[in-house]
Amino acid sequence: MSGGYQVYRAALPEVCAADPAKMVFTADAEGRCEVFAWDAAARRARQVTRRPLGTLHGAIDRDAHVWWFDEDERGRGCWRFQPFAGGPDRPGLTGVPPGLPRGLAVSDHGTVAVAAEDGDATIVHVGPRGGRGRSVARIPGHVSLTGITPGGRLLALADAHAVTVLTSEGAVRAVLPGGGDAGRLWSLGFAPAGAELLLVRAYEDRYVLASWRPATGPARHDWCAFDTEITARWDGDGRSVLVRQDRHGRSTLHRADLTARTLTPVPTPPGTVLDAATRPGGDLHYLWTATGHPPRLCSTRGTALPVLPTLPDRFPGIHRDVWTPGPDGPVHTLLSLPDEPRGPVPAVFLVHGGPADHDRDAYDGVVHSLVASGFAVARVNYRGSTGYGPRWRRAFRDGVGLTQVEDLASVRADLVARRLIRADAVGLWGTSWGGYLVLLALGTRPGLWQAGVAVKPVADCVAAHRTTTAALRALDERLFGGTPEEVPGRYAHSSPIQYAAAVRAPLLVAAARHDAKCPPGQIRGYLAALRAAGVRHEALWLDSGHDGYDGGDHVTVLRRAVVFLDRELRGPARRDPQTPRSARSGEHHTAVHTRERRTTHAEGHHPQRPARG
């Protein structure tokens, strides 16, 4: 790709509410993700951060102060800010201990609220910008701060069970149940004026827009309901809402008028809108992409936005949708084939993580590299993926992980039967929870795959639960229905380490020494099990955390994985996949003193949803 700023996350530039020409975005800076200030009037960018580990989280407040999260290699840190035009860095709040970021909110008058996870609890601090913070709440488990009212008097906090409204002194103003019979509830922030809180509720197998007001309580807007996941943002008038729906790997925009009770489509090109917002003055900004088109920032009123890279040549390949029959409905696959394939070709299943996420009709550099190298790429939205409705998201009939592996196997059989891919040259590649599925598929269905790449995976469900973050322990307990002590059989049944000795395909495992989400200890245990069983494998160790922000690590993994898959799927004299491998195991350790770039996939439709990636 050439020209422009290489963005590191699927999000729009943040815009100053008082001066829409002032924005903040994250982009590449000499191979690292850093925060930039963008002056749309002058069409000029200024690099704000220059951290050795890179910087992903940035924001701008109403007074045009630029914010970023100053974190260490384990993801722990504190928020800092500086004036838009530059100047000395200052702590957002003093006296606040470092932690994992769980939200920043700044009122119109400079009241700052920050939430940080510290061990098994989330602590909320409030104070004047740059002043001393006071602790107003300590809540067990993973909680996200999702908003502050313009006047700074109310805060919104959300977890898997409820949305809680607190005063800035920490008193509980309202508790809105989520989960169980009430239906899952997500908090999307306060209106730009007043104290109305925007919500989305899962209700009767649909996703419904909702809201809460201090005087009248919660209201469900049943006229604004969708069959698949949505997210939403307030427009500047505080009465209309921009809604984005993710459906079947693509997305659409709608404008909902809460007063007139009308829902109007907003035209966008076919593909995926990764982020969208109505800016002051009515200008619509959105970040659009499709499989053959890198992300592009768009403005309906011609506002000068940062220019993103373009491809020097046409994106290679033929791209199509494939639907494979399944027990809970057809399984959707985004399939990319090399140009003019001559019969079945080697294939790589690129397995998304989450699990509450999905693959999209969106540009992906890994897909580009693989298709250009002559591989077919299958991106399967297995059961549990978002974008196909609540029932699909809850469909785990064969158990955690095993249900998803069943879908991967079914799609493989379908593509082989259609003579699109070679049965003897199929590999798997996944990151985080996607890497978990790669390991589980290799161990439970060893005859189907000829190679695997697992990047920062869950390899031992019990050990990962014991050592991961509070947010991901809570996610595990929702998926499995309890802790490892409460339901040990479920964890064991779905844990890759239980099947390590059955793996027959060569395997490349890339892991991070400072990974808090998929900790390195449980991966080392899995590698030891592979060695004991004589399974041929390689290990690549990165000196980074789970969400690394340095492009060097990303390129290292990409190159190593493509070479590995090319050798194993197209190299000479491969063994029959059914034949047990007793070849010498080998580990290749690579120290990379940087952080790996986060994937370019959007993180899902609700900001407080935890996911391993």
Side-chain angles (χ1 to χ4, degrees):
M1 301 174 73
S2 61
Y5 296 95
Q6 175 64 57
V7 294
Y8 273 77
R9 61 174 179 168
L12 289 169
E14 296 283 341
V15 172
C16 175
D19 185 351
K22 295 179 178 178
M23 309 181 196
V24 164
F25 68 102
T26 54
D28 177 86
E30 299 179 348
R32 294 190 315 277
C33 176
E34 297 291 0
V35 174
F36 289 77
W38 173 256
D39 186 334
R43 297 175 181 254
R44 183 175 60 245
R46 179 180 69 86
Q47 185 175 340
V48 177
T49 59
R50 288 176 172 82
R51 300 177 62 251
L53 301 176
T55 314
L56 181 67
H57 304 287
I60 187 169
D61 63 27
R62 187 176 181 84
D63 295 324
H65 292 96
V66 179
W67 292 76
W68 69 93
F69 191 70
D70 185 20
E71 62 188 286
D72 62 19
E73 67 275 6
R74 292 173 175 81
R76 297 172 59 84
C78 296
W79 287 93
R80 302 185 67 84
F81 72 97
Q82 68 172 230
F84 184 83
D89 300 347
R90 296 178 59 190
L93 292 174
T94 63
V96 176
L100 299 174
R102 296 295 176 249
L104 164 74
V106 184
S107 77
D108 289 354
H109 306 294
T111 298
V112 176
V114 297
E117 184 179 314
D118 183 17
D120 292 327
T122 301
I123 305 172
V124 181
H125 287 82
V126 176
R129 182 176 47 225
R132 186 162 187 84
R134 65 185 188 281
S135 175
V136 300
R138 181 183 179 88
I139 306 167
H142 170 78
V143 179
S144 293
L145 171 67
T146 61
I148 188 170
T149 52
R153 295 181 179 275
L154 296 177
L155 312 175
L157 301 168
D159 62 16
H161 308 292
V163 171
T164 302
V165 181
L166 299 180
T167 69
S168 58
E169 301 299 324
V172 176
R173 182 67 176 78
V175 177
L176 311 175
D181 294 338
R184 187 78 187 273
L185 186 66
W186 295 271
S187 171
L188 300 176
F190 288 102
E196 187 169 7
L197 180 63
L198 185 62
L199 305 163
V200 168
R201 185 177 289 281
Y203 179 71
E204 294 184 348
D205 286 326
R206 297 178 74 79
Y207 294 94
V208 182
L209 207 64
S211 58
W212 173 88
R213 294 181 179 179
T216 57
R220 197 177 64 237
H221 307 293
D222 291 335
W223 55 271
C224 189
F226 297 80
D227 62 348
T228 61
E229 285 81 355
I230 61 172
T231 188
R233 284 187 176 182
W234 288 105
D235 285 347
D237 60 7
R239 295 311 305 149
S240 57
V241 172
L242 185 66
V243 180
R244 188 187 81 223
Q245 180 186 20
D246 290 327
R247 191 172 192 276
H248 299 176
R250 294 170 177 86
S251 54
T252 54
L253 295 180
H254 309 264
R255 178 157 282 111
D257 187 319
L258 301 187
T259 301
R261 295 166 59 91
T262 58
L263 189 65
T264 307
V266 177
T268 56
T272 296
V273 176
L274 297 170
D275 196 12
T278 305
R279 300 310 190 188
D283 189 11
L284 174 64
H285 294 183
Y286 61 94
L287 181 61
W288 175 87
T289 182
T291 298
H293 301 275
R296 183 172 75 229
L297 287 168
C298 305
S299 163
T300 56
R301 295 193 175 179
T303 299
L305 298 174
V307 177
L308 304 186
T310 58
L311 292 173
D313 301 304
R314 185 186 72 85
F315 184 94
I318 303 165
H319 313 288
R320 56 185 286 192
D321 291 19
V322 175
W323 295 84
T324 301
D328 291 296
V331 181
H332 182 204
T333 300
L334 298 166
L335 180 66
S336 296
L337 296 166
D339 288 317
E340 300 179 1
R342 298 177 180 178
V345 295
V348 176
F349 278 57
L350 201 59
V351 187
H352 76 73
D357 201 349
H358 64 275
D359 272 317
R360 298 157 171 80
D361 179 11
Y363 178 80
D364 187 318
V366 175
V367 176
H368 189 158
S369 297
L370 289 170
V371 172
S373 299
F375 292 102
V377 178
R379 293 179 287 168
V380 180
N381 283 326
Y382 48 71
R383 280 172 286 178
S385 300
T386 54
Y388 299 84
R391 291 185 181 180
W392 188 259
R393 190 165 171 174
R394 296 192 302 262
F396 282 76
R397 67 166 64 197
D398 296 319
V400 176
L402 299 170
T403 301
Q404 289 70 41
V405 169
E406 177 65 29
D407 288 345
L408 296 175
S410 296
V411 172
R412 175 197 175 278
D414 187 20
L415 298 181
V416 169
R418 297 177 190 230
R419 296 189 55 77
L420 295 171
I421 67 173
R422 285 172 45 186
D424 66 337
V426 183
L428 297 161
W429 183 348
T431 299
S432 196
W433 212 78
Y436 157 73
L437 293 180
V438 168
L439 300 183
L440 194 62
L442 293 178
T444 59
R445 299 294 188 93
L448 300 185
W449 324 101
Q450 284 69 56
V453 176
V455 182
K456 301 177 183 177
V458 177
D460 181 336
C461 293
V462 175
H465 179 275
R466 185 173 60 248
T467 55
T468 191
T469 65
L472 294 176
R473 277 195 294 276
L475 173 63
D476 286 344
E477 289 161 22
R478 288 201 303 276
L479 289 175
F480 287 102
T483 67
E485 293 74 26
E486 293 166 341
V487 288
R490 295 179 188 174
Y491 280 81
H493 191 51
S494 296
S495 186
I497 200 168
Q498 299 293 320
Y499 308 98
V503 174
R504 296 293 176 262
L507 172 62
L508 169 63
V509 177
R513 292 190 177 91
H514 308 294
D515 194 332
K517 295 182 178 180
C518 299
Q522 48 100 27
I523 296 175
R524 291 190 183 98
Y526 181 83
L527 294 174
L530 293 180
R531 287 194 298 270
V535 177
R536 184 158 65 94
H537 67 282
E538 303 173 20
L540 170 66
W541 284 95
L542 305 168
D543 194 20
S544 66
H546 193 80
D547 300 321
Y549 315 140
D550 193 294
D553 279 14
H554 177 79
V555 171
T556 295
V557 172
L558 176 64
R559 288 176 174 170
R560 180 74 174 273
V562 171
V563 169
F564 175 84
L565 292 168
D566 186 74
R567 182 183 72 231
E568 299 301 335
L569 299 182
R570 296 197 296 204
R574 289 199 317 277
R575 295 176 174 83
D576 183 279
Q578 302 287 344
T579 303
R581 299 187 184 275
S582 56
R584 171 180 61 85
S585 66
E587 290 188 285
H588 181 76
H589 299 268
T590 300
V592 182
H593 300 286
T594 53
R595 300 191 64 171
E596 185 177 12
R597 181 173 82 177
R598 199 174 201 148
T599 61
T600 57
H601 293 306
E603 292 185 24
H605 67 298
H606 300 304
Q608 72 271 20
R609 175 186 54 77
R612 283 192 168 90

